[in-house]
Amino acid sequence: MFVSREVRRALAAALPPTAAAAPIGLAVFEFELEDTSAATASGPAGSDAAYLADVTKGVRDRLAQSGRYRLVDTGSATEEPVKAHTLRDCDGCEAAIAQQLGADQSLIGVIRRVSRTEYTVGFQLRDARSGAVVSRGDSGLRMGADYSWTRGAVRLVGDRLLEGGAQR
């Protein structure tokens, strides 16, 4: 059954207040790029790192604004998959790294460039203690150059994770 966001918010506001749940400690690792476009033969574009930083910042900001999460700094993580931006290939190692950082959950995200104007966005949220996948999302094919990655990632996380209600 379809219920608009506005109706859900109004219903939630009408319910009696409950004890506010403590925010979930979340380690949001830097988004990674998986480039399968023909451009990879010439090497990564210099602007890719800046666009990925924008994506990561946009997603972190959206999650922090939700009040559901308390962001845990990932800057001190020195493990090789973090430094090499290959967490997507480490079979869930990000969960243990997040736990070492004091987080309850970990989030990794990947921008998959199909061509210079086509991409997909994916994310995966894991429980830091068990390593179990709590939530995941994939945007499907999107149109737009690399400057649109942030908009796509923020929308996906908002729709699938925050509006979808993934919990601990």
Side-chain angles (χ1 to χ4, degrees):
M1 172 189 260
F2 172 78
V3 178
S4 75
R5 291 179 186 157
E6 290 79 18
V7 171
R8 284 186 279 168
R9 285 186 194 117
L11 289 172
L15 295 174
T18 59
I24 299 167
L26 179 62
V28 179
F29 293 96
E30 293 179 21
F31 269 66
E32 300 175 357
L33 177 63
E34 186 175 305
D35 192 344
T36 61
S37 70
T40 58
S42 62
S47 61
D48 289 343
Y51 286 122
L52 289 169
D54 288 344
V55 171
T56 302
K57 181 184 180 326
V59 168
R60 284 177 176 158
D61 289 349
R62 177 69 174 99
L63 292 168
Q65 290 169 1
S66 75
R68 183 183 297 173
Y69 297 101
R70 172 186 51 82
L71 298 184
V72 174
D73 182 21
T74 59
S76 63
T78 59
E79 290 78 356
E80 187 56 32
V82 175
K83 293 189 306 188
H85 304 287
T86 57
L87 286 170
R88 67 186 181 276
D89 298 326
C90 74
D91 295 323
C93 71
E94 75 277 3
I97 298 168
Q99 186 175 27
Q100 291 171 359
L101 295 171
D104 302 309
Q105 295 179 344
S106 64
L107 185 139
I108 59 170
V110 179
I111 303 291
R112 291 176 187 88
R113 181 187 288 147
V114 179
S115 71
R116 290 314 264 175
T117 59
E118 297 174 318
Y119 68 96
T120 66
V121 178
F123 76 86
Q124 188 163 268
L125 183 79
R126 288 185 186 269
D127 179 82
R129 287 181 288 288
S130 70
V133 174
V134 175
S135 181
R136 66 173 41 130
D138 196 313
S139 67
L141 189 61
R142 297 271 187 210
M143 302 301 285
D146 39 17
Y147 58 80
S148 65
W149 294 349
T150 299
R151 185 176 57 244
V154 169
R155 177 71 186 255
L156 175 68
V157 168
D159 288 353
R160 298 280 174 84
L161 183 58
L162 298 176
E163 297 295 328
Q167 297 293 322
R168 243 182 238 225

